[in-house]
Amino acid sequence: MKRIIGNLLLFGLVVAVVSFFVAPAVAFFGIRSAAQADDVASLQRLIDYGAVRQSLRPQLSGRAETLTPAPSFMEDPIGAVRRQFEVAAAPAGPDPDAFLTPDALDGLMRGQGRYAIVQSAATMPEDAEPAPLPGPKYWGINLARLAVTDEGGSETIFTFERRGPFEWKLVHIGLPDGPTPAAPVQAPAAGAKK
């Protein structure tokens, strides 16, 4: 009897450990599935829209200085003030909300990179086509990165952050290098509030 209870406890522990480490991949496939089904409620549970939007803005601006941290006012007051004027005078880049629509998220998860925003539901590849599988880039206790590689070898990197024992949220999307095409004008995604 003790052996059966010990085996059950060991089995339960193995299942918990495997679930603990597989949860980011489950979140990735959950986002892909919700995006294909236009399930906005599920996307809101799986994506931290504010963090993803903040991660996309510097990538879409096309300016290298937006990727570096701003100088501290205490250490470099002139540089800090100059940076504020540069940011205010900078031309606005593409809207990050264009990447947060279900169609664009589906395209990103299929490895379309920056071109995911020009796709629409009518021009998306058939769901019968197998979407590329994500590959692990980094796997930690509280952070995981998965990458989807397109046909040209460019990677779109998805960063997930632990929000509970088995709950992971998408907090960052790393777009491949290159120019961003102009997005078609469309209504913003639900949950993509500014």
Side-chain angles (χ1 to χ4, degrees):
M1 184 66 161
K2 288 183 182 181
R3 184 176 175 128
I4 293 174
I5 292 174
N7 287 341
L8 286 175
L9 288 175
L10 181 63
F11 178 74
L13 181 64
V14 168
V15 168
V17 168
V18 168
S19 298
F20 185 81
F21 286 107
V22 174
V26 171
F28 176 89
F29 288 111
I31 292 171
R32 182 186 279 177
S33 175
Q36 288 174 350
D38 291 331
D39 184 358
V40 176
S42 293
L43 289 173
Q44 287 176 339
R45 282 193 315 272
L46 295 168
I47 299 172
D48 182 345
Y49 280 100
V52 173
R53 189 177 295 110
Q54 186 176 0
S55 76
L56 289 171
R57 277 194 181 108
Q59 298 177 68
L60 297 174
S61 72
R63 298 177 47 209
E65 64 269 12
T66 60
L67 297 173
T68 59
S72 166
F73 188 76
M74 297 302 283
E75 294 174 6
D76 183 11
I78 295 173
V81 171
R82 183 181 327 125
R83 175 72 178 263
Q84 290 300 318
F85 284 116
E86 289 171 352
V87 169
D95 186 15
D97 287 336
F99 285 95
L100 298 176
T101 64
D103 290 337
L105 285 168
D106 186 25
L108 286 169
M109 301 243 163
R110 290 177 174 274
Q112 295 175 355
R114 292 179 183 261
Y115 291 94
I117 60 172
V118 296
Q119 300 293 329
S120 68
T123 62
M124 288 296 285
E126 291 296 319
D127 289 339
E129 278 185 35
L133 293 175
K137 293 299 275 185
Y138 174 81
W139 215 274
I141 292 182
N142 292 320
L143 194 71
R145 287 193 176 100
L146 301 171
V148 177
T149 307
D150 67 7
E151 295 167 354
S154 299
E155 290 183 329
T156 303
I157 299 174
F158 301 90
T159 303
F160 292 87
E161 184 178 274
R162 181 180 303 285
R163 299 289 171 93
F166 300 102
E167 179 185 2
W168 290 77
K169 281 201 171 204
L170 178 66
V171 295
H172 185 276
I173 297 174
L175 298 172
D177 292 334
T180 302
V185 178
Q186 54 184 311
K193 300 171 189 166
K194 293 185 181 179

